[in-house]
């Protein structure tokens, strides 16, 4: 399992009865988590002294209940793979989200080292990374902090603006980052026609989503064709390819099979595992989806 265990400003304190108790900086949140199928005693005091609680609705969705929580606050992340501290602006919003998936720090550390090492070897030659379904820019900021030139693509204008805000707060706004609001599949198709290439590709596709013009995305149908397209964008000596999956059907072995098949001509090797967050109250690990990692 790939475990995000370098956080100081975030922790999963406890889990029970379909929910997780988390610390985000100095604020305590309780959010639903479908992986938590156990009903263990809620002994941690945060269960009764939370700053925010997201309640699921039996009809789908849900709503936040706040107790002395600001509309926005920041947390920071320091990776062993690069010197620049990352800063994230958190804003609890629809469907339980806060604006960051902290388990992804395990991947930031991994590819941050690959990029840093490649930059030392290449000298002035840039490392070009394409980040698809890039959300609020966690991976984009990690790539930029490690020295890469990043193309950040997401279909939501508001989310891309939030990512820029995070870059500003992290002192990375002047780094070579292209911010693109577009349907990811259409952008990749255009990049192929333009003859552009990248040394690395990151994708964090949703299970279901819509593009800016209503394009429908269903991951089980669309992920393999997109990986095939993205393989055409890789440079002659690519560094890595990362796929994140929060969809039950896309298990680590499926990611490995897909990446190994489509990137066979490049050689390299693939390692796909569950991604997890340590639970501080008991030393166990909460699974949070899967990542497929290919590297040269």
């Amino acid at each position: 399992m790939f475990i995000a265990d370098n956080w100081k400003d975030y922790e999963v304190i406890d889990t029970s009865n379909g929910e997780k108790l988390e610390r985000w900086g100095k604020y305590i949140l309780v959010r639903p988590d479908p992986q938590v199928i156990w009903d263990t005693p809620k002994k941690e005091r945060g269960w009764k002294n939370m700053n925010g609680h997201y309640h699921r609705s039996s009809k789908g969705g849900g709503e936040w209940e706040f107790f002395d929580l600001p509309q926005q606050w920041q947390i920071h992340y320091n990776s062993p793979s690069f010197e620049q501290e990352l800063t994230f602006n958190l804003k609890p919003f629809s469907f339980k989200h806060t604006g960051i998936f902290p388990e992804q720090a395990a991947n930031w550390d991994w590819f941050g080292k690959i990029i840093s090492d490649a930059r030392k070897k290449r000298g002035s030659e840039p490392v070009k990374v394409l980040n698809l379904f890039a959300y609020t820019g966690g991976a984009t900021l990690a790539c930029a902090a490690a020295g890469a030139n990043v193309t950040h693509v997401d279909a939501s204008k508001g989310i891309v603006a939030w990512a820029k805000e995070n870059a500003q707060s992290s002192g990375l706004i002047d780094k070579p980052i292209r911010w693109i609001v577009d349907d990811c599949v259409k952008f990749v198709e255009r990049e192929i026609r333009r003859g552009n290439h990248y040394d690395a590709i990151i994708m964090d596709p949703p299970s279901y989503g819509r593009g800016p013009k209503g394009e429908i995305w269903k991951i089980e149908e669309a992920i393999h064709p997109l990986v095939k397209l993205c393989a055409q964008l890789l440079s002659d000596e690519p560094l890595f390819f990362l796929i994140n999956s929060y969809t039950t059907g896309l298990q680590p072995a499926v990611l490995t099979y897909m990446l190994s098949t489509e990137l066979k001509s490049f050689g390299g090797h693939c390692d796909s595992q569950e991604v997890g967050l340590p639970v501080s109250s008991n030393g166990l690990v909460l699974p949070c989806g899967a990542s497929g990692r290919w590297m040269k």
Side-chain angles (χ1 to χ4, degrees):
M1 184 182 276
F2 304 135
I3 300 175
D5 55 5
N6 285 313
W7 279 101
K8 301 287 189 295
D9 272 7
Y10 172 85
E11 67 175 310
V12 179
I13 302 168
D14 196 14
T15 64
S16 180
N17 197 26
E19 294 182 315
K20 55 191 172 188
L21 176 68
E22 306 164 291
R23 178 180 63 83
W24 299 80
K26 63 180 182 179
Y27 298 105
I28 304 295
L29 300 182
V30 173
R31 298 191 298 156
D33 191 313
Q35 302 277 10
V36 181
I37 60 173
W38 44 89
D39 186 6
T40 47
K42 294 182 176 181
K43 295 179 180 177
E44 297 295 321
R45 66 177 187 176
W47 289 112
K48 294 179 180 177
N49 295 290
M50 65 195 77
N51 298 102
H53 190 178
Y54 188 87
H55 300 278
R56 290 295 294 267
S57 166
S58 58
K59 299 173 185 174
E63 61 181 1
W64 281 98
E65 182 181 14
F66 297 127
F67 312 93
D68 194 25
L69 186 73
Q71 286 188 321
Q72 179 172 329
W73 73 101
Q74 294 182 337
I75 62 171
H76 309 280
Y77 183 72
N78 291 280
S79 171
S81 300
F82 44 84
E83 293 181 5
Q84 181 88 25
E85 180 179 78
L86 306 183
T87 297
F88 299 101
N89 296 284
L90 304 179
K91 313 167 197 175
F93 69 111
S94 61
F95 197 65
K96 79 181 180 181
H97 297 306
T98 61
I100 184 176
F101 291 91
E103 63 275 6
Q104 286 302 320
N107 287 319
W108 306 340
D109 296 347
W110 170 71
F111 62 65
K113 185 173 190 316
I114 295 173
I115 292 168
S116 297
D117 291 348
R119 290 288 291 122
K120 289 169 190 168
K121 290 177 187 172
R122 293 186 177 197
S124 60
E125 184 188 349
V127 172
K128 295 171 66 180
V129 180
L130 174 61
N131 186 14
L132 299 171
F133 309 96
Y135 195 49
T136 55
T140 294
L141 301 189
C143 289
N149 293 23
V150 191
T151 299
H152 173 112
V153 187
D154 197 279
S156 168
K157 186 177 181 180
I159 289 291
V160 172
W162 191 344
K164 285 185 185 178
E165 194 181 315
N166 288 335
Q168 183 80 50
S169 298
S170 298
L172 294 167
I173 196 66
D174 295 326
K175 295 292 184 182
I177 303 172
R178 281 201 303 159
W179 306 99
I180 310 287
V181 178
D182 202 352
D183 175 76
C184 287
V185 176
K186 289 184 176 176
F187 178 81
V188 167
E189 290 171 340
R190 277 198 295 275
E191 287 292 87
I192 292 170
R193 291 196 294 271
R194 291 173 186 137
N196 288 336
H197 292 91
Y198 296 88
D199 301 302
I201 295 175
I202 298 166
M203 61 171 72
D204 204 340
S207 299
Y208 179 86
R210 288 184 181 272
K213 295 179 180 174
E215 302 92 341
I216 292 177
W217 165 275
K218 291 182 181 176
I219 194 166
E220 296 90 342
E221 300 170 4
I223 186 69
H224 182 234
L226 180 57
V227 173
K228 287 181 78 166
L229 287 173
C230 285
Q232 298 177 53
L233 286 180
L234 289 172
S235 59
D236 293 337
E237 291 291 327
L239 297 173
F240 68 88
F241 197 125
L242 171 66
I243 304 176
N244 294 311
S245 165
Y246 292 90
T247 305
T248 310
L250 289 185
Q251 302 295 345
V254 174
L255 300 177
T256 290
Y257 198 104
M258 190 162 49
L259 285 168
S260 299
T261 302
E262 295 309 325
L263 305 182
K264 189 176 181 180
S265 62
F266 294 102
H269 65 277
C270 194
D271 182 15
S272 302
Q273 298 187 34
E274 285 184 288
V275 182
L277 287 162
V279 181
S280 58
S281 65
N282 56 24
L284 299 175
V285 177
L286 177 67
C288 307
S291 290
R293 297 173 174 177
W294 175 92
M295 67 179 293
K296 191 72 174 175

